[in-house]
Amino acid sequence: MRRAILLLLRGTVSAPLIALAAAIGHKLPHVERLPIALVLLLAVLAVAIKWGFPEAILAAVAGSLSLDYFFVPPYGFRIQSPTGWADICVFLIVAITTSKLAENARDRNRRLADVNEALRRREQELVAELDIARQLQQVSTQLTQADKIETTAIEQAANAEAERKCQELKSTLLDALAHNLKTPLSTIKMAATSLLSSKNALQGSARELLAIIEEETRHLEQFMSDSIQIARIESGVFSLRKDMHDVRSLINASVQDLAYNLKNRPLEVRVPQTIPCVEVDFRAMKLVITELLANAVKFSGSGSPLVISCQHDNGEVIVSETDSGVGIPEDQQSRVFDREYRAVQKATELRHTGLGLSIAKKIVEAHGGKIWVNSQLGRGSAFHLSLPV
């Protein structure tokens, strides 16, 4: 119904306009029938392009009637000659044919426009889908990385917890062992000391054996004490008991602990009188200096000289241990304080607990200091530790 009303309205508009154009052409002087027919044909084609084929048929009929009325003799709606009929029929056929062709072209263009629009929308959808796919891939990658990081963190935490419990168990076992050995060791030492100091002391080889027993007992006591301290440091349950101490006394105590290993070793201690005291845990810091000195003995040739020096610089006391041993390869110097590091050089066997440089570093850093090494392969090493004053 709506289509019929539109057709009627458009026909009502187009037919009078075509008739008006024919009337104007008729009033113009010297205007032939053919030019007017072409003008009317263009008008019908315009209607077909603008509104469609049904409206163009109405316009073609109006144009043929207008052409008959104004330009085919004897004018009016009276056609008497075959030529007039032929002209009117040809006009009508051409008008209808061109209108149909115009409508077909119009429909084809509309369909092409619809296809292009559909393609454009599909392209936008594909672009959106690609963006979503990229975002999903990024999210998946991030989730995978997060899972890996979380898994790694969990593994590291589990390993750290297992290591902590292992160190705690080690410390507990050493404490128990030390407790069980402390009484018999003290009894042996006391008996040996009493025999040596008695008025009826043994003489000769028997006295020498008693002296050895007393010395070895003292060494075992020191060994047990150091082992317990090391285990507590490794487990992270130790606490520093700081007090002001003279650096020379720390060095002397370390030298005393290694007296047996330092036999036939030239040792030079250079501690100026102006060196101030440092606030340290005496036992812990003695273990560090002893470890540095023991490493020097272990990795230097028998009879090679050792030097322990000390200086005060920029609010720090720097203790250095220098040897002329095998040295450390340059690519390993940055790792000597790692827990997993193992020296590849041949070492001398020592009667020494073996603190380890990684634990020595922990102790020094717990005091607010630093520890480092300078070494040249084949010429020896110099270990340094700094302590704030």
Side-chain angles (χ1 to χ4, degrees), residues 51-64:
W51 289 328
F53 184 65
E55 289 83 351
I57 292 177
L58 293 177
V61 172
S64 61

Side-chain angles (χ1 to χ4, degrees), residues 25 35 88-89 102 166 178 197 199 214 227 248 296 302 308 320 358 387:
I88 295 301
C89 290
C166 180
S197 61
K199 295 181 180 180
E214 182 186 35
S227 297
R248 183 181 293 275
S302 177
I308 300 178
S320 303
S358 63
L387 297 169

Side-chain angles (χ1 to χ4, degrees), residues 203-336:
Q203 301 297 323
S205 60
R207 185 177 182 84
E208 290 179 1
L209 289 174
L210 282 174
I212 292 173
I213 291 173
E214 182 186 35
E215 174 63 22
E216 291 302 319
T217 303
R218 186 195 66 79
H219 176 74
L220 281 174
E221 286 183 334
Q222 184 64 43
F223 177 83
M224 293 303 302
S225 177
D226 290 348
S227 297
I228 294 170
Q229 182 73 354
I230 292 169
R232 288 174 177 170
I233 293 171
E234 285 183 328
S235 64
V237 297
F238 80 106
S239 58
L240 298 177
R241 298 179 180 179
K242 293 184 179 181
D243 201 355
M244 300 303 295
H245 293 284
D246 179 52
V247 178
R248 183 181 293 275
S249 63
L250 286 168
I251 296 173
N252 290 339
S254 299
V255 172
Q256 182 63 34
D257 285 348
L258 289 174
Y260 181 87
N261 300 299
L262 292 172
K263 290 180 179 179
N264 303 319
R265 279 296 185 101
L267 175 62
E268 182 181 359
V269 179
R270 304 171 185 168
V271 182
Q273 296 295 329
T274 56
I275 295 297
C277 293
V278 290
E279 186 180 10
V280 295
D281 183 313
F282 188 89
R283 289 185 61 191
M285 193 53 60
K286 184 194 70 169
L287 286 174
V288 174
I289 298 175
T290 303
E291 178 65 21
L292 297 182
L293 191 55
N295 270 282
V297 174
K298 187 186 298 185
F299 295 104
S300 60
S302 177
S304 61
L306 304 174
V307 178
I308 300 178
S309 59
C310 189
Q311 60 178 328
H312 182 208
D313 186 28
N314 292 328
E316 292 180 329
V317 170
I318 302 174
V319 179
S320 303
E321 179 283 315
T322 307
D323 63 66
S324 54
V326 294
I328 304 170
E330 185 175 354
D331 60 342
Q332 297 182 22
Q333 292 180 23
S334 61
R335 299 188 291 113
V336 295

